[in-house]
Amino acid sequence: MRKTVVFDLDGTLLNTLDDLTDAVNLVLEFYGYEEHTKEEIRSFVGNGVAKLMERALPEGKENLEYEAVLEDFKNFYTENCDNKTAPYDGILTVLQRLRDAGFRTAIVSNKNEEAVKKLADEYFKDTVETATGVGKDGKKKPDPKMVYRIREELGVSLEDMVYVGDSEVDYETARAAGIPVVLVTWGFADAKNLQSLDGCSIVDTPEELLEVLVKDME
């Protein structure tokens, strides 16, 4: 049985959409750009904050203010990433049950590193051992290097690891790392799109997730 679980953050453990929407729109408003709906922001997330702001900003990276807008977003969001954010119902129980059963747990996210560590410390200090986001090297999912970093930090093998996420990016990350993946349907991605992905388990509730992760324990 694989007893190291690597979790995605946004859309898997935490519902961060309201705070992301507020941060994006506040920065866009400051620069005089049109705001986006929450559903539009939902469709923009998953590939890191740089890609989020590229999608949100008119002309994307070609916009001459892109770098300034991105930097302001990072700063504002890091300070305000936990205003409305909360764990999905049942997630804290899942993490506690895994810890009690001797599982190792970690978080990998395409958020900037500062925001990831702040949120992990705020909500999962007692149930998740380590968390990593996009750092100075700029490596982000689906590049598997963050998964490899977790493997080295925890001193486990890939054969011990399973990945849990909510999107196609998470699926691609797990495949690139060569580890099994469980996808949850309560997150930001369209659940119908997840159904088309081969070779993964799909769960609809935290209870089902726990059952899949510990199915070999009896």
Side-chain angles (χ1 to χ4, degrees), residues 162-167 171 174-175 179-185 194-195 197-204 208-209 211-213 215:
V162 60
Y163 189 102
V164 178
D166 74 307
S167 71
Y171 173 81
R175 295 295 290 266
I179 61 177
V181 59
V182 182
L183 297 177
V184 305
T185 61
L194 302 182
Q195 298 290 342
L197 302 175
D198 296 327
C200 62
S201 299
I202 298 177
V203 297
D204 297 320
E208 289 181 24
L209 173 61
E211 183 178 346
V212 168
L213 293 175
K215 63 182 178 181

Side-chain angles (χ1 to χ4, degrees), residues 108-213:
V108 295
S109 172
N110 276 346
K111 284 185 187 298
N112 53 304
E113 182 96 350
E114 296 84 0
V116 172
K117 291 190 178 298
K118 179 178 179 180
L119 289 169
D121 186 63
E122 174 74 18
Y123 296 105
F124 311 119
K125 180 171 58 177
D126 297 326
T127 53
V128 174
E129 292 184 56
T130 186
T132 188
V134 177
K136 293 181 180 179
D137 64 5
K139 296 297 182 183
K140 63 180 187 297
K141 301 180 292 184
D143 189 308
K145 287 191 176 179
M146 279 195 283
V147 174
Y148 297 158
R149 194 183 309 159
I150 294 297
R151 175 193 61 183
E152 294 173 2
E153 185 173 343
L154 295 184
V156 299
S157 69
L158 289 176
E159 289 72 26
D160 291 328
M161 302 175 78
V162 60
Y163 189 102
V164 178
D166 74 307
S167 71
E168 292 92 335
V169 171
D170 294 313
Y171 173 81
E172 293 167 3
T173 302
R175 295 295 290 266
I179 61 177
V181 59
V182 182
L183 297 177
V184 305
T185 61
W186 58 77
F188 298 163
D190 188 332
K192 292 181 180 178
N193 293 338
L194 302 182
Q195 298 290 342
S196 67
L197 302 175
D198 296 327
C200 62
S201 299
I202 298 177
V203 297
D204 297 320
T205 66
E207 292 78 14
E208 289 181 24
L209 173 61
L210 185 62
E211 183 178 346
V212 168
L213 293 175

Side-chain angles (χ1 to χ4, degrees), residues 95-106:
L95 293 173
Q96 189 61 56
R97 290 281 300 279
L98 291 175
R99 181 180 176 86
D100 292 345
F103 282 73
R104 313 290 299 277
T105 53

